[in-house]
């Protein structure tokens, strides 16, 4: 119930459309930031296409939800009809909205079979307008739901749980196979999309994705541990100890958000004043956080496993000169924000201490994203 205090329903169609229009622009800029962040955040080439794929799926999710809630407040007996967002900690739709998409996806065939196709609905709308001389509200609602379920049918959206996939990178001289495993979740605690990437070596007998003994178990393990409150060190050590023939060498976690907006969120801190001052012109009152945590293996130790065997265990790299390195549980953490030029100028003028070390990606008037310090 405490969490729900920060949830807010967009109760009318105009507010819903403004919200989704804002996010459509923001996600486009996020896709531009991915290659720009590669060098600074030390992302490798195979990771870029994977991250861009998840960001594209996220864009499709917002498009689908925009149609689902297109008639918010205009059809009183259609439930659910209002989008609920987390206006305090994320600015994104609440987790329940994304979970409901998964439920709806299981009913796609039935729902589409019970709805006329788009061509038929357009014909019916034209006839209704000519006969009744008023907007065909219910037919518009039917069309919006038709498009929503067609989007789910394509399966190209960001689900609450996007199961791990493995990309083979080659075989080392010692015979170990190299994989880049990636997966993503919509975190139920933070109401934010989070992407995970893990480089690992496989010393098992069979290739990991074809090994029906290890692969399903590994997928379940990774998804179960994909919680933002767990450090990367906790996740990586647990994985290393549970799978003797899988050796995690690098683990990343990419946070997309929170999104801050003077119009839709109630954030605290220096960004509140910055966005309030920049809110005079529509569409310029937002900022999106972008964070990358990385944990790499420093070396391997051979430890006993049972009476007569031993296994490799990874020793992960932490900055022991940093007092809170154990609490952070990562080799390094880089944080950035994406924001339009106007709030960036206000931010630069104010220069609040808490944001001085945060990298800024600035969206110019022409929509081009520039990397700044």
């Amino acid at each position: 119930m405490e969490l729900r205090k920060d949830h807010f329903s967009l109760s009318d169609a105009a507010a819903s459309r403004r919200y989704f229009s804002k996010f459509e622009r923001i996600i486009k800029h996020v896709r531009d930031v991915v290659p720009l962040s590669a060098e600074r955040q030390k992302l490798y080439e195979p990771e870029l296409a994977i991250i861009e794929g998840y960001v594209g799926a996220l864009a499709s999710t917002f498009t689908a939800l925009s149609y689902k809630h297109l008639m918010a407040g205009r059809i009183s007996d259609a439930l659910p009809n209002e989008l609920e967002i987390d206006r305090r900690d994320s600015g994104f739709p609440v987790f329940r909205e994304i979970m409901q998409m998964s439920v709806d996806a299981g009913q796609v065939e039935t729902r589409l079979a019970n709805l006329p196709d788009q061509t038929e609905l357009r014909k019916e709308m034209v006839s209704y307008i000519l006969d009744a001389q008023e907007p065909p509200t219910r037919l518009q609602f039917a069309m919006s739901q038709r498009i929503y379920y067609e989007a789910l049918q394509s399966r190209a959206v960001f689900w609450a749980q996007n199961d791990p996939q493995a990309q083979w990178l080659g075989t080392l001289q010692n015979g170990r196979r190299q994989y880049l495993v990636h997966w993503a979740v919509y975190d139920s605690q933070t109401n934010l999309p989070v992407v995970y990437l893990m480089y690992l070596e496989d010393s098992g007998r069979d290739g990991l994705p074809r090994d029906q003994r290890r692969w399903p178990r590994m997928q379940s393990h990774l998804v179960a541990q994909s919680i933002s409150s767990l450090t990367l060190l906790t996740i990586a050590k647990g994985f290393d100890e549970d799978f003797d023939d899988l050796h995690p060498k690098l683990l990343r976690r990419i946070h997309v958000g929170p999104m801050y907006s003077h119009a839709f969120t109630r954030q605290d801190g220096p960004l509140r004043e910055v966005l309030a001052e920049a809110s005079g012109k529509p569409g310029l009152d937002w900022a999106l956080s972008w964070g990358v945590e990385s944990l790499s293996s420093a070396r391997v130790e051979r430890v006993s496993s049972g009476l007569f065997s031993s296994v490799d265990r990874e020793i992960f790299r932490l900055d022991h000169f940093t007092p809170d390195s154990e609490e952070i549980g990562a080799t390094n953490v880089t944080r950035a924000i994406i924001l339009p030029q106007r709030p960036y100028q206000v931010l630069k003028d104010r220069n609040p201490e808490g944001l001085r070390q945060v990298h800024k990606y600035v969206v110019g008037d022409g929509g081009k994203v520039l990397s700044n310090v």
Side-chain angles (χ1 to χ4, degrees), residues 42-52 54 163-171 177-183 195-202 208-209 215 218 222 239 246-254:
K42 297 180 175 60
L43 301 177
Y44 298 125
E45 188 65 31
E47 300 172 50
L48 299 184
I50 293 171
I51 297 171
E52 288 172 352
Y54 284 120
D163 289 337
Q165 302 178 51
Q167 179 179 328
W168 181 64
L169 300 178
T171 303
R177 308 171 190 86
Q178 284 186 308
Y179 293 99
L180 171 54
V181 178
H182 60 90
W183 68 103
V195 177
Y196 292 83
L197 304 107
M198 178 190 288
Y199 289 87
L200 60 81
E201 295 177 4
D202 177 14
L208 179 60
W215 179 239
M218 191 203 79
L222 290 177
F239 181 88
L246 296 175
H247 315 282
K249 298 298 181 179
L250 174 62
L251 176 62
R252 293 199 206 278
R253 177 162 57 192
I254 300 166

Side-chain angles (χ1 to χ4, degrees), residues 5-25:
K5 289 181 179 180
D6 293 327
H7 295 178
F8 178 73
S9 294
L10 301 181
S11 58
D12 65 86
S16 179
R17 288 173 187 173
R18 287 197 304 271
Y19 177 82
F20 284 114
S21 177
K22 183 185 294 289
F23 251 109
E24 181 181 359
R25 293 193 300 272

Side-chain angles (χ1 to χ4, degrees), residues 137-328:
T137 305
R138 293 194 173 277
L139 289 171
Q140 288 174 318
F141 177 75
M143 176 68 86
S144 70
Q145 300 309 294
R146 174 86 201 186
I147 298 174
Y148 167 66
Y149 280 102
E150 286 178 353
L152 297 189
Q153 189 180 45
S154 73
R155 310 297 297 180
V157 298
F158 193 103
W159 304 103
Q161 175 181 311
N162 304 270
D163 289 337
Q165 302 178 51
Q167 179 179 328
W168 181 64
L169 300 178
T171 303
L172 299 172
Q173 290 183 350
N174 61 9
R176 289 184 176 182
R177 308 171 190 86
Q178 284 186 308
Y179 293 99
L180 171 54
V181 178
H182 60 90
W183 68 103
V185 298
Y186 201 91
D187 195 293
S188 61
Q189 295 179 345
T190 62
N191 293 315
L192 288 174
V194 185
V195 177
Y196 292 83
L197 304 107
M198 178 190 288
Y199 289 87
L200 60 81
E201 295 177 4
D202 177 14
S203 59
R205 184 182 63 182
D206 300 320
L208 179 60
R210 298 180 180 180
D211 190 331
Q212 293 307 308
R213 177 181 58 87
R214 295 182 301 159
W215 179 239
R217 177 172 163 247
M218 191 203 79
Q219 288 180 301
S220 298
H221 176 99
L222 290 177
V223 170
Q225 296 296 302
S226 301
I227 305 171
S228 292
S229 59
L230 295 180
T231 67
L232 293 189
L233 182 62
T234 298
I235 296 172
K237 288 180 69 174
F239 181 88
D240 192 36
E241 292 168 1
D242 282 0
F243 297 90
D244 290 344
D245 48 14
L246 296 175
H247 315 282
K249 298 298 181 179
L250 174 62
L251 176 62
R252 293 199 206 278
R253 177 162 57 192
I254 300 166
H255 302 267
V256 184
M259 186 275 285
Y260 306 95
S261 167
H262 183 66
F264 292 105
T265 64
R266 297 293 183 269
Q267 67 282 340
D268 296 319
L271 272 178
R272 181 188 182 99
E273 289 74 26
V274 168
L275 295 180
E277 187 173 335
S279 64
K281 189 174 180 180
L284 299 183
D285 66 331
W286 63 269
L288 182 80
S289 177
W290 172 265
V292 179
E293 300 173 80
S294 300
L295 177 71
S296 59
S297 174
R299 65 184 191 278
V300 175
E301 283 189 354
R302 197 75 180 170
V303 300
S304 298
S305 176
L307 294 177
F308 305 107
S309 62
S310 59
V311 296
D312 286 348
R313 289 285 181 250
E314 306 294 330
I315 305 299
F316 295 99
R317 192 185 309 278
L318 296 174
D319 184 0
H320 296 290
F321 294 100
T322 302
D324 58 352
S325 62
E326 289 287 344
E327 182 179 347
I328 294 172

Side-chain angles (χ1 to χ4, degrees), residues 18-35:
R18 287 197 304 271
Y19 177 82
F20 284 114
S21 177
K22 183 185 294 289
F23 251 109
E24 181 181 359
R25 293 193 300 272
I26 292 174
I27 294 299
K28 177 182 179 299
H29 300 317
V30 172
R31 300 179 86 161
D32 295 333
V33 162
V34 173

